[in-house]
């Protein structure tokens, strides 16, 4: 996941994986964060989310919901980062 996210120059190396239960299915959401120096238009952001979702689907073999947050939205961790939030 990190390798795919880092292939986008507009995105930070900070991300979260959120797992949710939706009925009988489970959903994986990848929350990425745009870099501070990039001011993306809504259409650019939508385009990056779609492309990131396609690349993650190709690598992971599952459909992934992608969200791009503003810079500083995802908490930074000292030491080992907690990247997975399991809400099942």
């Amino acid at each position: 996941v990190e390798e795919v996210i880092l292939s986008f120059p507009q995105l930070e190396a900070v991300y979260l994986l959120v797992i949710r239960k939706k009925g009988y299915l489970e959903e994986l959401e990848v929350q990425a964060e745009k870099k501070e120096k990039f001011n993306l238009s809504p259409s650019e952001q939508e385009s990056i989310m779609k492309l990131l979702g396609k690349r993650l689907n190709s690598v992971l073999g599952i459909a992934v919901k992608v969200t791009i947050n503003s810079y500083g939205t995802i908490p930074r961790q000292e030491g080992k980062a907690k990247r997975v939030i399991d809400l099942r």
Side-chain angles (χ1 to χ4, degrees):
V1 173
E2 186 169 348
E3 184 178 326
V4 175
I5 290 172
L6 290 177
S7 70
F8 290 83
Q10 305 92 334
L11 301 178
E12 287 283 344
V14 179
Y15 63 92
L16 286 175
L17 305 175
V18 182
I19 305 167
R20 292 185 180 88
K21 188 97 168 156
K22 259 193 161 176
Y24 295 107
L25 300 175
E26 294 174 348
E27 176 184 74
L28 174 62
E29 178 183 5
V30 175
Q31 295 183 5
E33 190 175 274
K34 66 180 178 178
K35 288 185 178 175
E36 189 174 22
K37 66 181 179 179
F38 283 97
N39 190 10
L40 302 174
S41 71
S43 63
E44 289 173 319
Q45 190 162 317
E46 185 67 31
S47 175
I48 292 170
M49 287 183 347
K50 285 181 182 178
L51 186 55
L52 179 56
K54 285 181 184 179
R55 288 188 187 170
L56 288 169
N57 183 312
S58 173
V59 170
L60 300 174
I62 59 172
V64 177
K65 178 181 176 184
V66 176
T67 306
I68 297 178
N69 299 316
S70 299
Y71 177 80
T73 306
I74 299 174
R76 270 61 172 169
Q77 305 281 332
E78 285 192 29
K80 188 167 175 84
K82 181 179 179 192
R83 301 220 189 265
V84 179
I85 298 174
D86 193 341
L87 302 175
R88 291 178 285 182

